[in-house]
Amino acid sequence: VQVVGIEPGGTLLRPWNVVGGDPSRLHEPGAIMVDISEAEKLKLNRVGERREIFGARAEVVGLTKGIRSFTTSPFVWADLDSARAYALYPADRFNYVMVEAAPGVSRDDLAKRLSELPGLDA
């Protein structure tokens, strides 16, 4: 699976086209959302089912429809801490981070500033 971690209170990226369950539970440790089109691949039938991802507990709290990956690996939405556990990443490591420029800050200027930080590319 491809794990998408959501920061508590974050507003930039949330699961959309929710067709079942309660997306407000996504902040709970171990809560995940998956797309119904991937249910057979993930051997899931309903909200409430429990699974493990790399040995970490996961409970399906919601289902979406139409959020499919371009790869063969389905997306799994989780809170940021659970996503780190599922991906076996330390707290200071990410593959991608989505940010939004503050009012009055140009996207190009923000990208330049971020690219100047060690180990980042924006």
Side-chain angles (χ1 to χ4, degrees), residues 6-22:
I6 306 290
E7 184 175 30
T11 59
L12 292 179
L13 183 62
R14 312 280 310 154
W16 62 95
N17 294 341
V18 176
V19 296
D22 183 0

Side-chain angles (χ1 to χ4, degrees), residues 4-56:
V4 179
I6 306 290
E7 184 175 30
T11 59
L12 292 179
L13 183 62
R14 312 280 310 154
W16 62 95
N17 294 341
V18 176
V19 296
D22 183 0
S24 69
R25 292 188 58 205
L26 198 55
H27 72 281
E28 297 174 9
I32 62 171
M33 290 184 68
V34 298
D35 198 86
I36 193 71
S37 64
E38 304 287 10
E40 184 176 335
K41 185 183 289 182
L42 297 171
K43 301 196 182 336
L44 296 170
N45 295 311
R46 62 182 171 73
V47 170
E49 290 198 54
R50 297 175 188 269
R51 296 289 185 270
E52 286 187 8
I53 303 173
F54 285 114

Side-chain angles (χ1 to χ4, degrees), residues 2 19-20 23 33 45-46 50 64 79 84 95 108 111 117:
Q2 295 183 62
V19 296
M33 290 184 68
N45 295 311
R46 62 182 171 73
R50 297 175 188 269
T64 62
D79 75 291
R84 287 179 178 129
N95 281 348
D108 290 339
L117 295 171

